[in-house]
Every structure is written in structure tokens, then in C-alpha cells.
Amino acid sequence: MSAFKFRLEKVLSVYQILEEQAKQEWALQEKLAHEERLKLEVLNIQKEEVRAFGYAQGDLALRQAMYGYLAVLEQRISRQTSVIEQQEALAAQAKETWIKARQETQKVSTLRENKYEEFLKEELRKEQKILDDMRAHLQE
């Protein structure tokens, strides 16, 4: 039985490398988006803590300072929300790139599997022909 040789093996390897790189890029973008969401959570917690502290104070000057600080926190929360939206868009784009790379790899991989099945069928056909020839010579 001869060895199976797939002519597009190098192409398949390149597609697999590209797929892995795209997958890593997607994972990185998802990680960055997660970190940005965590920053937003911290800002929201900080806002609630300032609000709770300010409302517990009887001094109007402290409450005024609290309102000013809350306004600054709201601006930071708004900026952070837009950063999250941008990062999630990058993550979605990276995921789409990875999916396309995976599909390309799958196409070549499926082609390889089909060629291997054809190779096996041909090898079995050759083996059967040899066995038939041997049986024909034995019967003579």
C-alpha cells in the first residue's frame, strides 16, 4: 500500500495557522472587552458608594461636592460605555474573521478527507484485483 499524499497539505497548514491566529485575536479582543466591562462595574459601584455616603451626610457643602463628583462619574461612565461598545465591535469583527478562517480551513480539510477516502477505495480496489489475479492463477 502506497502512502497517501495530499497535494494541498501546505495550503491546509497555512489555513490552520491563519485560523489559530484569528482565534487568538478574537480571544484577545474578548478579553479586552471583558476588562472594559469590569472597569464600568467599578465605576458604577463607586457611584453608588458616593451616592450612599453623600445622602448620609447632613452637611449641604458635602452634598454639593457629592453632586459635582457624581456628575464627573457620570461622564466617566458614559465614556466607558462608549469604549465598551467600540471594544465589543472589535471583538465581533475578530470573531467574524475567525469564523471565516475556520470555514476556509474546514473546506480544505473536507477536501483532504474526501481525497483520502478516494485513495483508500483505490487501494482496496488494487488489493482486490491482486487477490482476484492470484485466485485466477491458482485455478489454472
Side-chain angles (χ1 to χ4, degrees), residues 83-95:
V83 168
I84 290 171
E85 289 171 359
Q86 291 172 351
Q87 189 59 48
E88 286 178 346
L90 289 173
Q93 184 180 9
K95 182 179 182 181

Side-chain angles (χ1 to χ4, degrees), residues 52-116:
F53 174 78
Y55 289 142
Q57 301 302 312
D59 187 6
L60 290 178
L62 280 176
R63 280 199 181 182
Q64 284 300 98
M66 175 198 71
Y67 290 129
Y69 188 61
L70 283 176
V72 170
L73 278 177
E74 284 294 331
Q75 289 175 350
R76 289 177 64 190
I77 288 171
S78 177
R79 280 195 306 262
Q80 189 62 29
T81 301
S82 67
V83 168
I84 290 171
E85 289 171 359
Q86 291 172 351
Q87 189 59 48
E88 286 178 346
L90 289 173
Q93 184 180 9
K95 182 179 182 181
E96 186 65 31
T97 302
W98 170 61
I99 289 171
K100 287 179 183 175
R102 193 173 89 192
Q103 289 171 344
E104 291 300 315
T105 303
Q106 190 63 38
K107 287 177 188 175
V108 178
S109 181
T110 301
L111 181 62
R112 183 185 190 282
E113 290 170 7
N114 291 343
K115 292 295 181 182
Y116 184 68

Side-chain angles (χ1 to χ4, degrees), residues 24-64:
Q24 289 175 355
E25 178 64 22
W26 172 54
L28 173 66
Q29 296 300 329
E30 280 293 324
K31 178 184 173 201
L32 293 174
H34 178 71
E35 289 172 358
E36 296 300 332
R37 286 189 292 271
L38 289 177
K39 288 178 187 177
L40 179 63
E41 284 182 38
V42 168
L43 287 173
N44 282 324
I45 290 170
Q46 189 177 13
K47 177 181 152 185
E48 292 304 315
E49 288 174 351
V50 167
R51 188 177 279 156
F53 174 78
Y55 289 142
Q57 301 302 312
D59 187 6
L60 290 178
L62 280 176
R63 280 199 181 182
Q64 284 300 98

